[in-house]
Amino acid sequence: MVYTIIVVFSLAAIFGITLLSFVLRSKETPKAVVFMHGPVAAIGLILLIYYVATTGANLVTSIVLFVIAALGGIILVSRDFMGKPIPKWLAVVHGLIAVSGFVYLLNYAFNIA
């Protein structure tokens, strides 16, 4: 199951990188990608929480980082839908926090460090 979670978060990351490229160029984000990124990441987080709850895996740090990233994502998407400018710094920090959670997940799955 952990590999499925990695695949789901990888897909969310691809959508996120696409969105970040639009934000950094001050272009309007493609709404189809916005509507894919959040739900796919949420599915990954739900699966991760379920996995930890059922196996006792030590992935609490990963969950916490993904939750913090999700909160930032909610701010970003709400600003986007209200037509307000998206702060580039927040989009970058959101991505970096999510990547940090993903690195913890990869470290657990592949015992990298």
Side-chain angles (χ1 to χ4, degrees), residues 29 43 54 81:
T29 57
I43 289 168
T54 57
F81 289 152

Side-chain angles (χ1 to χ4, degrees), residues 19 28-36 38-39 73-86:
L19 291 170
E28 186 175 344
T29 57
K31 298 309 178 245
V33 180
V34 172
F35 283 121
M36 292 298 293
I74 291 168
I75 294 168
L76 291 169
V77 76
S78 65
R79 290 186 64 87
D80 191 18
F81 289 152
M82 289 187 292
K84 294 182 179 179
I86 297 173

Side-chain angles (χ1 to χ4, degrees), residues 13-25:
I14 291 168
F15 292 137
I17 291 167
T18 302
L19 291 170
L20 183 60
S21 73
F22 280 85
V23 170
L24 294 178
R25 291 181 287 142

Side-chain angles (χ1 to χ4, degrees), residues 59-81:
L59 286 166
V60 174
T61 302
S62 185
I63 291 172
V64 168
L65 289 168
F66 280 128
V67 168
I68 293 168
L71 294 173
I74 291 168
I75 294 168
L76 291 169
V77 76
S78 65
R79 290 186 64 87
D80 191 18
F81 289 152

Side-chain angles (χ1 to χ4, degrees), residues 89-106:
W89 70 267
L90 182 56
V92 170
V93 169
H94 163 75
L96 289 174
I97 292 170
V99 166
S100 298
F102 191 67
V103 167
Y104 273 95
L105 178 61
L106 291 175

